[in-house]
Amino acid sequence: MVIPAAFVAAALAVRRSMRPLRAFRERLETRSKKDLGPVASDDLPSEVAPLAVTLNALLERLRACE
């Protein structure tokens, strides 16, 4: 009985902690092909924020090529 409850609690915790990453992915998916503006990263966990910084640097380089 304790093991299934612990598994459910762990699964819910992981699902909740992934919410900001899912929201970030959704923001990227809904962007226009031509939108090279920076992506908001305010709500990202510190472990993932560097990914957004790198992505925004890439988008900046692409904007410079236009």
Side-chain angles (χ1 to χ4, degrees):
M1 181 74 166
V2 173
I3 292 175
F7 178 75
V8 169
L12 290 174
V14 168
R15 183 177 175 92
R16 183 174 183 179
S17 68
M18 296 299 287
R19 194 176 300 157
L21 193 54
R22 271 192 239 106
F24 184 66
R25 184 196 71 210
E26 289 169 5
R27 283 196 302 267
L28 293 176
E29 287 176 340
T30 59
R31 289 169 61 104
S32 162
K33 289 187 252 183
K34 297 183 183 217
D35 184 0
L36 298 177
V39 178
S41 59
D42 307 348
D43 62 340
L44 291 176
S46 60
E47 298 86 0
V48 183
L51 175 64
V53 170
T54 302
L55 176 62
N56 284 333
L58 173 62
L59 292 171
E60 176 63 35
R61 291 194 307 266
L62 290 172
R63 273 194 310 274
C65 292
E66 289 187 309

